[in-house]
């Protein structure tokens, strides 16, 4: 380009690689061998993982007993809220045919309870639950204050609807005297929940710490009386409370209730035999056509007995291999055709 | 001819000639004699014996009258080349406007002097040459360069790449934009069936804010700037590659619907596979992992990874910047994730960052 003498500045763009669209680059070429080997490897990986997951899920033993219909009279009693002070218990015998080896976990499972509703999830106050500001109930509508204006602790709809059935597992040793299976109440929450997210307000005495607040309307006892034997499990630090406050993602969910304490007769797990659940039925579910059940389950490294992920991986692996074989067939057919042309 | 009537007659005769003669066999030209000036008839020798129209400014003034200009336009469009000589600047603009308004075509005008400014402005694309005649054409144009021969590179290389990227940006990528936003948004439609249609979002609010701004904006930008399907040398050597742009092959309704369907399918897979995986599951020590927080984080992470891998598959020209933007977006997502879920920030803003900890 000719530069005139009047032009002191040149308008020539920089000859840098960036501005001249000549950056060094790798042009991705999809060759047959590359694509085919990629599909094959993916298929092998997915099939392998899928089969491992399925085998692991199948090795779990799980028992679920739905007790809403079995405890039908208790369910009917609870439909009327004025019966809240009448106690109702229900006993469900069942037979365990095989020993459940290893750690056994007891869950309560709810059907049709939408913990993932938008206003429900919003209705909590994390700063109150952290113990920093007990009176901060602004986000907890409609359960923020009682009718005389006292803030509720713990406030919010999630806390108010806590699951309050009591489930006790008994074992019929020698088919005469049932003994209560020893269960652990602790260690059922996330570590960060117990030690970071939920803290009691600082004070020597919990009832003094919660002075100036009142219990949620649906609770029988105030929050500092949830477990009076164990101060580590009282107030906001109560494990059952923390487990309930962790909102579930779907309307059918199970939450950990107790863990087997492997002492006495239960060092190897739950031996086979006759058992029964004694349930104090408090939580009403029939009004919204929900159901409750209790689940006993062993676990493996891959979690509970959910076959879905293993199946999904296996199906993906199979489909990938199907694609691989069909592409290989097409490629081989076309390769012969190309050679035919080059011979001409 | 001197008068409008004569011009019209000549035009009609020429058209009859065109229709009457066998085009492929002979090489014809239509010439207008202007007054006393003998113009050499300039014949454009074309490959297949098509026609050329040469018209001077005086006749053009008559030919552009409203009752004749349609004839002129039809005749001109049947010719391979049209040469208008000794025309005024206004007539240049009028010719361009004639083609632009009555034919469904994109027009480009290139010129270097002040008399070309009106023509440049009336075309769709105006190109100015900066050089001997000054800068007026440059100031009025959309593109400018220094020599006329660069027009070939502008069209065949940069124009082609621009269409290809736009289309990848638009179709495969407005296609990409629709795809990633469909995948992002439609999961809420599926989740509605499982949350009582209460408009609960599947992701936490910070992810929704940052998704389109931080996590997925840069890779598309890099692709729009740097992507090339063939090298510039090949684009110049094979001008047939310009055809898809002219025929609008890469961005049409069919392609668009395919992109939408892909987005819908992705949202289905993105929602229902984690749904199935989380349905009846517990952690290995019994703890609750089917909670809303874990589900939201899983969905968000899988969405970012799927969308980034999709754009990685669609990029055909990998520069350093593409690598940095794509893998950097994923790395940014994870670093922001770990920051927002840390104990420290929960301590400061417990109500804004409720997703603390992991199982």
């Amino acid at each position: 380009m000719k530069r005139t003498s009047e032009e002191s500045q040149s308008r020539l763009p920089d000859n840098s690689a960036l501005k001249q669209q000549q950056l060094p680059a790798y042009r991705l070429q999809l060759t047959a061998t590359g694509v085919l080997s990629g599909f094959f490897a993916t298929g092998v990986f997915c099939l392998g993982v899928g089969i491992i997951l399925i085998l692991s899920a199948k090795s779990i033993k799980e028992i679920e007993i739905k007790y809403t219909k079995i405890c039908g009279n208790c369910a009917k009693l609870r439909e009327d809220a004025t019966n809240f002070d009448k106690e109702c218990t229900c006993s469900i015998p069942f037979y365990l045919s095989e020993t459940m080896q290893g750690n056994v976990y007891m869950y309560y499972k709810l059907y049709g309870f939408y913990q993932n509703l938008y206003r429900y999830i919003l209705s909590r106050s994390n700063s109150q639950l952290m113990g920093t500001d007990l009176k901060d109930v602004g986000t907890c509508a409609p359960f923020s204050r009682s009718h005389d204006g006292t803030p509720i602790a713990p406030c919010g709809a999630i806390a108010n609807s806590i699951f309050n059935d009591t489930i006790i597992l008994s074992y019929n040793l020698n088919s005469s005297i049932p003994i209560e299976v020893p269960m652990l109440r602790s260690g059922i929450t996330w570590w960060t929940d117990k030690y970071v997210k939920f803290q009691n307000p600082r004070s020597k005495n919990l009832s003094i710490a919660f002075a100036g607040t009142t219990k949620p309307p649906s609770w029988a006892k105030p929050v500092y009386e949830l477990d009076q034997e164990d101060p580590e499990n009282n107030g906001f630090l109560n494990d059952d409370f923390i487990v309930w406050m962790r909102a579930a993602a779907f309307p059918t969910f199970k939450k950990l209730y107790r863990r087997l304490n492997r002492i006495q007769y239960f060092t190897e797990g739950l031996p086979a035999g006759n058992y029964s659940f004694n349930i104090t039925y408090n939580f009403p579910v029939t009004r919204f056509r929900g159901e409750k059940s209790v689940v006993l389950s062993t676990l493996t490294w891959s979690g509970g007995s959910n076959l879905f992920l293993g199946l999904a991986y296996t199906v993906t692996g199979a489909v990938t291999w199907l694609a691989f074989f069909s592409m290989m067939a097409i490629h081989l057919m076309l390769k012969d055709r190309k050679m035919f042309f080059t011979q001409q | 001819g001197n008068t409008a009537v004569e011009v019209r007659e000549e035009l009609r005769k020429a058209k009859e000639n065109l229709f009457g003669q066998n085009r492929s066999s002979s090489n014809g030209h239509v010439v207008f004699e202007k007054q006393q000036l003998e113009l050499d008839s300039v014949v454009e020798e074309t490959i297949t014996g098509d026609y050329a129209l040469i018209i001077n400014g005086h006749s053009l003034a008559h030919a552009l009258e409203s009752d004749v200009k349609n004839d002129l336009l039809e005749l001109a469009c049947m010719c391979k080349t049209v040469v208008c000589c000794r025309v005024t600047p206004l007539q240049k603009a009028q010719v361009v406007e004639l083609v632009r308004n009555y034919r469904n075509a994109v027009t480009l005008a290139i010129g270097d002097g002040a008399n070309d400014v009106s023509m440049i402005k009336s075309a769709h694309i105006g190109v100015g040459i900066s050089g001997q005649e000054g800068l007026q054409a440059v100031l009025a144009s959309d593109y400018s360069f220094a020599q006329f021969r660069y027009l070939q590179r502008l069209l065949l290389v940069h124009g082609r790449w621009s269409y290809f990227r736009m289309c990848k940006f638009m179709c495969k990528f407005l296609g990409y934009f629709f795809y990633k936003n469909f995948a992002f948004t439609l999961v809420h439609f599926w989740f509605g069936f499982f949350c009582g249609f209460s408009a609960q979002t599947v992701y936490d609010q910070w992810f929704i804010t940052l998704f389109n701004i931080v996590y997925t904006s840069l890779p598309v930008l890099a692709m729009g700037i740097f992507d090339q399907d063939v090298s510039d040398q090949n684009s110049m050597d094979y001008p047939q590659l310009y055809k898809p742009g002219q025929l609008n092959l890469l961005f049409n309704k069919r392609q668009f619907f395919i992109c939408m369907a892909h987005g819908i399918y992705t949202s289905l897979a993105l929602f229902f596979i984690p749904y199935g995986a989380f349905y009846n599951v517990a952690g290995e020590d019994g703890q609750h992992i089917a909670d809303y927080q874990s589900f939201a984080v899983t969905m968000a992470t899988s969405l970012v990874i799927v969308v980034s891998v999709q754009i990685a598959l669609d990029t055909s020209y990998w520069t350093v910047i593409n690598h940095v933007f794509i893998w950097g977006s994923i790395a940014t997502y994870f670093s922001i994730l770990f920051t927002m879920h840390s104990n420290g920030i929960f301590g400061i803003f417990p109500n804004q960052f409720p997703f603390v900890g992991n199982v």
Side-chain angles (χ1 to χ4, degrees):
Chain A
M1 175 191 149
K2 287 199 192 116
R3 287 188 212 180
T4 60
S5 50
E6 291 103 26
E7 282 180 355
S8 51
Q9 264 181 339
S10 164
R11 264 176 228 94
L12 191 67
D14 295 342
N15 203 12
S16 66
L18 180 66
K19 292 202 179 172
Q20 295 295 333
Q21 297 265 344
Q22 278 162 1
L23 283 174
Y26 174 67
R27 200 179 288 277
L28 189 68
Q29 305 275 9
L30 294 175
T31 59
T33 42
V35 170
L36 286 176
S37 46
F39 268 74
F40 182 72
T42 314
V44 165
F45 172 73
C46 287
L47 274 176
V49 170
I51 289 178
I52 292 176
L53 283 175
I54 291 182
L55 288 177
S56 158
K58 285 242 178 246
S59 69
I60 286 173
K61 289 195 198 30
E62 183 176 342
I63 292 194
E64 177 182 346
I65 299 177
K66 294 191 187 168
Y67 63 87
T68 323
K69 300 242 169 37
I70 298 177
C71 305
N73 52 341
C74 281
K76 268 199 89 55
L77 189 72
R78 292 287 170 238
E79 277 182 19
D80 187 356
T82 54
N83 293 329
F84 66 92
D85 48 356
K86 301 200 184 100
E87 204 182 87
C88 189
T89 55
C90 178
S91 181
I92 306 165
F94 66 98
Y95 178 69
L96 206 57
S97 51
E98 293 178 335
T99 309
M100 291 177 98
Q101 296 268 15
N103 286 323
V104 179
Y105 298 85
M106 184 156 76
Y107 299 86
Y108 59 88
K109 187 167 175 180
L110 283 174
Y111 293 83
F113 191 90
Y114 285 77
Q115 270 203 323
N116 54 9
L117 211 66
Y118 177 63
R119 286 196 63 187
Y120 186 88
I121 290 194
L122 280 184
S123 175
R124 66 190 286 157
S125 168
N126 284 326
S127 50
Q128 183 193 61
L129 295 170
M130 236 171 63
T132 46
D133 188 0
L134 205 57
K135 309 276 197 308
D136 177 18
V137 294
T139 50
C140 286
F143 295 99
S144 44
R145 290 177 188 275
S146 61
H147 45 257
D148 59 358
T150 345
I152 299 179
C155 70
I158 311 184
N160 186 52
S161 56
I162 190 173
F163 184 79
N164 46 10
D165 281 6
T166 318
I167 307 172
I168 299 176
L169 179 65
S170 319
Y171 177 48
N172 284 345
L173 186 65
N174 306 327
S175 65
S176 53
I177 318 153
I179 57 168
E180 186 180 319
V181 176
M183 291 282 189
L184 292 169
R185 304 178 69 153
S186 59
I188 56 178
T189 61
W190 291 17
W191 190 93
T192 36
D193 276 359
K194 182 96 174 177
Y195 295 103
V196 176
K197 198 164 180 184
F198 289 80
Q199 294 292 319
N200 279 325
R202 300 277 162 94
S203 184
K204 283 187 286 252
N205 192 338
L206 270 185
S207 45
I208 300 176
F210 285 99
T213 64
T214 176
K215 68 176 177 65
S218 304
W219 284 28
K221 297 184 282 196
V223 68
Y224 48 85
E225 286 176 20
L226 282 175
D227 183 2
Q228 285 173 305
E229 292 133 35
D230 185 2
E232 291 283 316
N233 202 26
N234 206 359
F236 288 150
L237 288 177
N238 180 271
D239 273 31
D240 291 323
F241 172 67
I242 294 177
V243 165
W244 180 257
M245 289 298 287
R246 182 150 282 284
F250 303 119
T252 306
F253 59 89
K254 66 183 187 203
K255 288 187 189 270
L256 187 57
Y257 185 64
R258 298 283 184 264
R259 300 184 293 143
L260 178 68
N261 194 357
R262 291 169 68 171
I263 55 176
Q264 300 169 3
Y265 299 102
F266 307 104
T267 44
E268 295 300 313
L270 281 184
N274 284 314
Y275 289 83
S276 69
F277 282 118
N278 297 317
I279 300 175
T280 316
Y281 194 113
N282 290 322
F283 193 73
V285 289
T286 43
R287 290 197 68 183
F288 52 87
R289 285 182 300 240
E291 285 195 33
K292 295 188 285 188
S293 70
V294 62
V295 176
L296 281 172
S297 158
T298 56
L299 293 174
T300 65
W301 59 271
S302 71
S305 73
N306 188 4
L307 281 177
F308 179 83
L309 205 57
L311 277 178
Y313 267 106
T314 314
V315 166
T316 309
V319 166
T320 312
W321 260 15
L322 192 65
F324 163 74
F325 284 122
S326 43
M327 285 198 296
M328 174 90 101
I330 296 174
H331 174 63
L332 288 176
M333 281 193 331
L334 286 182
K335 216 160 68 157
D336 294 339
R337 262 185 36 191
K338 238 196 316 190
M339 284 177 67
F340 176 67
F341 272 111
T342 55
Q343 277 169 10
Q344 283 184 330
Chain B
N2 282 336
T3 65
V5 177
E6 284 177 30
V7 168
R8 199 181 298 138
E9 278 309 310
E10 287 288 340
L11 279 175
R12 295 236 174 86
K13 250 201 304 188
K15 259 209 311 198
E16 278 162 27
N17 268 345
L18 241 57
F19 279 124
Q21 279 183 8
N22 189 352
R23 273 182 165 196
S24 54
S25 56
S26 66
N27 190 5
H29 58 268
V30 177
V31 174
F32 275 104
E33 299 275 352
K34 187 210 166 206
Q35 286 169 334
Q36 281 91 25
L37 230 86
E38 277 282 341
L39 260 173
D40 284 334
S41 52
V42 179
V43 175
E44 293 286 340
E45 288 288 330
T46 54
I47 308 163
T48 52
D50 292 274
Y51 292 88
L53 172 66
I54 300 132
I55 183 168
N56 65 6
H58 189 85
S59 311
L60 191 63
H62 295 298
L64 284 175
E65 283 164 24
S66 51
D67 46 344
V68 191
K69 65 179 176 185
N70 278 330
D71 291 333
L72 173 68
L73 185 64
E74 279 174 36
L75 185 63
C77 289
M78 284 191 279
C79 295
K80 194 86 171 169
T81 312
V82 174
V83 179
C84 308
C85 48
R86 314 308 299 174
V87 291
T88 64
L90 179 62
Q91 282 173 330
K92 290 187 187 179
Q94 280 176 328
V95 170
V96 172
E97 274 168 18
L98 185 68
V99 177
R100 182 180 166 152
N101 292 336
Y102 292 98
R103 288 275 182 228
N104 194 16
V106 177
T107 54
L108 181 150
I110 179 168
D112 61 347
N115 58 343
D116 299 318
V117 169
S118 51
M119 168 178 76
I120 287 175
K121 283 167 110 96
S122 61
H124 285 113
I125 306 164
V127 180
I129 307 293
S130 63
Q132 296 292 88
E133 302 235 0
L135 289 178
Q136 287 92 338
V138 169
L139 293 172
S141 63
D142 302 313
Y143 298 95
S144 73
F145 35 75
Q147 298 181 17
F148 278 91
R149 65 188 175 96
Y150 295 151
L151 183 67
Q152 185 188 15
R153 197 176 162 86
L154 177 74
L155 285 182
L156 293 181
V157 175
H158 294 290
R160 231 195 111 259
W161 280 349
S162 174
Y163 179 70
F164 174 70
R165 288 166 189 160
M166 224 12 200
C167 247
K168 268 197 137 195
F169 204 76
M170 293 291 263
C171 167
K172 264 187 179 179
F173 297 119
L174 182 80
Y176 179 74
F177 272 105
F178 271 103
Y179 162 77
K180 80 171 157 101
N181 280 302
F182 269 23
F184 172 69
T185 315
L186 279 182
V187 290
H188 295 106
F189 180 66
W190 311 125
F191 188 55
F193 291 100
F194 300 98
C195 73
F197 294 101
S198 65
Q200 175 63 38
T201 55
V202 170
Y203 318 108
D204 76 292
Q205 53 172 101
W206 295 105
F207 180 78
I208 294 177
T209 312
L210 295 173
F211 176 72
N212 271 320
I213 301 173
V214 173
Y215 303 142
T216 52
S217 60
L218 290 177
V220 168
L221 198 67
M223 201 172 53
I225 298 176
F226 295 110
D227 210 25
Q228 299 173 13
D229 54 344
V230 293
S231 67
D232 51 350
Q233 195 54 46
N234 283 335
S235 298
M236 300 267 276
D237 291 343
Y238 301 101
Q240 305 91 313
L241 291 171
Y242 196 69
K243 274 259 177 228
Q246 291 182 309
L247 298 173
N248 210 15
L249 285 182
L250 294 181
F251 179 43
N252 46 32
K253 285 196 201 129
R254 184 168 167 268
Q255 292 288 338
F256 180 68
F257 281 119
I258 292 178
C259 302
M260 268 178 48
H262 188 202
I264 294 175
Y265 160 72
T266 304
S267 75
L268 275 172
L270 268 180
F271 178 73
F272 282 105
I273 294 185
Y275 173 72
F278 276 97
Y279 182 64
N280 191 25
V281 77
E284 56 181 349
D285 46 359
Q287 285 164 4
H288 191 36
I289 64 171
D291 62 311
Y292 173 71
Q293 170 179 336
S294 305
F295 182 66
V297 171
T298 304
M299 291 273 333
T301 307
S302 51
L303 174 70
V304 169
I305 291 180
V306 163
V307 158
S308 298
V309 168
Q310 177 66 42
I311 199 168
L313 285 175
D314 280 329
T315 305
S316 50
Y317 192 75
W318 283 89
T319 62
V320 170
I321 299 187
N322 288 81
H323 278 288
V324 165
F325 279 178
I326 293 180
W327 314 125
S329 293
I330 299 184
T332 312
Y333 166 71
F334 279 109
S335 51
I336 294 183
L337 183 78
F338 287 135
T339 311
M340 284 201 309
H341 292 199
S342 62
N343 300 344
I345 206 165
F346 177 75
I348 308 172
F349 300 109
N351 283 328
Q352 276 74 34
F353 296 96
F355 278 10
V356 67
N358 51 1
V359 73

